[in-house]
Structures are given as structure tokens and as C-alpha cells.
Amino acid sequence: MSSTEISMEDEARVVEQLCEGRDRIYAELSKTIIGQHDVIEQLLISLFAGGHCLITGAPGLAKTLLVRSVAQIFHLNFGRIQFTPDLMPADITGTEILEESGDGHREMKFVKGPIFANVILADEINRTPPKTQAALLEAMQEHQVTAAGHRYDLEEPFFVLATQNPIEMEGTYPLPEAQLDRFMFNVLIDYLPPEDELSVVMQTTSQRGEPIVPLFSGEDILRFHEVVRRVPIANEVGEYAVRLVGATRPDRDGTPDFINQWVSWGAGLRAAQTLVIGAKARALLSGSAHVRIEDIQALAHPALRHRVLLSYKAEAEGMTIEKVIDRLLSTIGTNV
């Protein structure tokens, strides 16, 4: 879908549809998900911006339920892939089999794998070897898979949410930094506050949840992608995003001293692109007509936490990436 396919009148209708549907989306998700407002917002932003998410959290925090619920709201095909050490690339993308036709001839037929869905939950992506991880990442980047020399396009929209367990590292294959950079956000999902956890326990042990009502379609999401890119952003706001990302790179002119001490590798250009396109989606979701500085700042943590590599000195001093980003936000002036 090209940007010329949406007229100004259509664009206005799409914006109105999204703004009116925002509260309905949260209302539908509240049928199955309690709390986790920031997590839901970041997932929706990445979906509307056309990006993928890495989600980090302990087991049992309803990651699968959340992703399936989002897929139901947008009437999208949902696929779940459980990554294990013996998982092969063909188990994800599909494979060719020899099939005999009715007239006795035999021919190779491609059987599609679970990657051929709109929303993919790649569960525990760090439990599978790099070769299998690469098969998924190729699909994420190119929106296609290659099998026996043939390319097969994936159905649009295509959204991958990969999970990893932060507390169990034995027998895992951590994603290299260059591959982590392909994820738009690294979303942290934490335990609920006691009152929300009590609500979950009481609700899930007393009655079955209400079915989720689909509100949008895949075509709607593709239109959202086009409209998000048209959200205006002032040069000053874009410059702030670039300066914020540039300040994460050690040993450069103007880099804060604490970055030089605690960071061994900073974020690249894709981080600034992520901040801007994500801020556009956030502005649209919040009903704003343009991108604001606070939209950039609100997405700094999910956009940077997997793109900035801390040094051994930072780890020895007990410094975390969250604290570094917080200090960065308080250090870099807006000039707006």
C-alpha cells in the first residue's frame, strides 16, 4: 500500500477511527488483561508503527494471553512458536515435501510453517541456536522466507513479539546486539501490584473470561501504518531524538562523562528512527495532532534499553541500563 492510496479525506477518517477505537481497545483488553498499561501501550505503538517487539519478563505474566488478545481485537491470524534447542529453521519457515498428484506425477510442494501468520509469538527466542534465530529475523526484516531457492511473501500485516526469560540463562543463546537492533522496542513486563494481582486471582478462579470482540481488521492496520508516517513532527523535536541517541555513544564530542564511564557501545541510527516513528504513533493514539517532546521521552526506555551496552565498570558499580537512560533524559536538554 503506497502513501498515495490514502486521500486527505480518508486520512481524516482513519485518524478519527483510531482515536474513537483507542478506549474500546483498552476496554476489550481489560476482559483478559488487568493492569500492564505501559506494556499494552508500547505493544500497540509498535503494531501501529509497523515494528516488532522483544518482551522481557518472568514466566506466568500473561505474555501469550496478551499477544493473543491483541490479535483477536484486530482480527489477525495468531501463531505461537515455542523455541527449543533442537528447533530447526524449517520448523519455522516451512519445508518442501514430495507429493503425488492424481495422475501419478510427483512434484515438490512447499508446506508453510507457523511463521505464515499475522501475529507471531516467538516464545523464549534465546533458547534456540543462532541459525534458527536468523531464520526468524530474516522474516522480520524482509517479510518473506526463502525455501529451496524460492521466496514466499508473508501476509501483511506481520508482527513478531519475541519473549526471553531474564532469570534463566543456562542453555540459552543470547541474541547478538546487531540482531537485537532489529526489534523496535524491548518491553519489560513486571509483576503486578498486589491489588491488581488479587483482581487477577479472583477473576480467573471464579468465572471464565468474556470473549474479545474484534474491532479492526488487517487492512485497518495497514492504513494506520500510512497515517502514522504522516503525523507532523517539528525539526526541533526530531533533533532532540537524534541528540538523545547520539549522547549514548561513548568517546565522542559532547558525550556526557557518565556515558563514557558506563557505556561500552551506544545506540545506532535505527534507534533515532524508532523514537520518531514510535512517537508519531503515540501522538496519534493520545489524540495529539503532532509529535511532542514527551512522546520521545516516554519511549526512550523501550527504544534504548536493548541498544545500549553497559561496560564492566557500570556492572561493577551496580549501575543498570534503566538508571543510565533516566540520567540521560535529565541531562540532555530539549531546546524546544
Side-chain angles (χ1 to χ4, degrees):
M1 179 180 293
S2 66
S3 59
T4 58
E5 293 181 15
I6 297 184
S7 64
M8 294 296 292
E9 293 78 10
D10 291 336
E11 180 181 345
R13 282 194 293 269
V14 171
V15 172
E16 183 180 2
Q17 178 189 20
L18 182 56
C19 291
E20 291 179 351
R22 179 182 63 243
D23 293 336
R24 296 172 61 197
I25 291 174
Y26 283 102
E28 289 300 318
L29 286 176
S30 67
K31 294 179 179 178
T32 56
I33 304 297
I34 294 176
Q36 306 293 4
H37 183 274
D38 290 342
V39 173
I40 293 173
E41 180 186 58
Q42 290 164 19
L43 289 183
L44 291 177
I45 288 172
S46 61
L47 180 64
F48 293 149
H52 307 287
C53 272
L54 180 68
I55 185 165
T56 303
L61 296 180
K63 296 186 290 291
T64 302
L65 180 61
L66 173 59
V67 180
R68 183 186 290 115
S69 299
V70 170
Q72 290 173 342
I73 286 177
F74 294 95
H75 202 60
L76 300 173
N77 295 324
F78 171 75
R80 181 179 182 272
I81 305 172
Q82 181 64 53
F83 282 77
T84 57
D86 60 346
L87 194 72
M88 299 298 292
D91 297 328
I92 297 176
T93 61
T95 187
E96 287 195 325
I97 62 172
L98 186 63
E99 186 177 71
E100 185 173 343
S101 60
D103 56 5
H105 290 87
R106 294 182 178 181
E107 59 182 3
M108 299 299 293
K109 178 183 178 181
F110 179 69
V111 179
K112 295 180 177 180
I115 196 70
F116 286 86
N118 298 119
V119 179
I120 300 294
L121 175 61
D123 209 3
E124 294 188 300
I125 190 175
N126 57 337
R127 288 203 171 276
T128 202
K131 185 176 182 179
T132 306
Q133 292 174 353
L136 174 68
L137 294 168
E138 176 194 357
M140 290 168 51
Q141 185 71 19
E142 307 297 336
H143 287 213
Q144 66 180 24
V145 299
T146 304
H150 297 284
R151 294 180 178 177
Y152 301 91
D153 292 330
L154 298 172
E155 184 180 354
E156 299 290 348
F158 180 66
F159 175 59
V160 173
L161 189 145
T163 70
Q164 58 181 4
N165 187 342
I167 62 175
E168 209 173 334
M169 297 306 295
E170 185 175 352
T172 62
Y173 305 84
L175 288 172
E177 281 71 22
Q179 294 183 3
L180 286 172
D181 192 40
R182 297 180 185 272
F183 289 95
M184 182 175 182
F185 292 148
N186 180 5
V187 179
L188 288 184
I189 183 169
D190 203 353
Y191 294 104
L192 292 170
E195 58 273 16
D196 286 343
E197 192 163 336
L198 175 61
S199 298
V200 172
V201 171
M202 299 303 291
Q203 179 175 308
T204 56
T205 57
S206 60
Q207 60 184 1
R208 294 188 179 274
E210 297 180 53
I212 288 181
V213 178
L215 301 177
F216 301 98
S217 67
E219 287 296 323
D220 290 328
I221 292 180
L222 294 179
R223 284 191 287 269
F224 293 159
H225 289 173
E226 293 298 326
V227 172
V228 162
R229 293 184 173 273
R230 297 188 180 191
V231 175
I233 177 172
N235 282 338
E236 292 81 1
V237 179
E239 289 172 359
Y240 173 72
V242 171
R243 284 192 292 112
L244 190 64
V245 171
T248 66
R249 301 163 189 164
D251 302 324
R252 298 170 66 92
D253 291 340
T255 298
D257 290 338
F258 69 91
I259 294 293
N260 292 327
Q261 295 177 20
W262 293 333
V263 174
S264 61
W265 193 261
L269 175 61
R270 191 176 282 146
Q273 294 172 319
T274 289
L275 282 175
V276 170
I277 192 67
K280 288 186 175 187
R282 187 177 189 271
L284 202 60
L285 271 173
S286 61
S288 175
H290 58 86
V291 178
R292 303 154 299 180
I293 288 290
E294 50 263 38
D295 294 319
I296 301 288
Q297 294 172 330
L299 300 180
H301 283 272
L304 296 178
R305 64 167 56 105
H306 60 303
R307 292 184 167 102
V308 176
L309 186 62
L310 295 186
S311 65
Y312 291 114
K313 179 178 175 61
E315 295 176 2
E317 295 180 5
M319 186 56 56
T320 65
I321 185 60
E322 306 301 321
K323 293 178 181 177
V324 170
I325 296 174
D326 283 336
R327 185 163 176 178
L328 191 68
L329 289 171
S330 63
T331 302
I332 304 302
T334 60
N335 295 335
V336 178

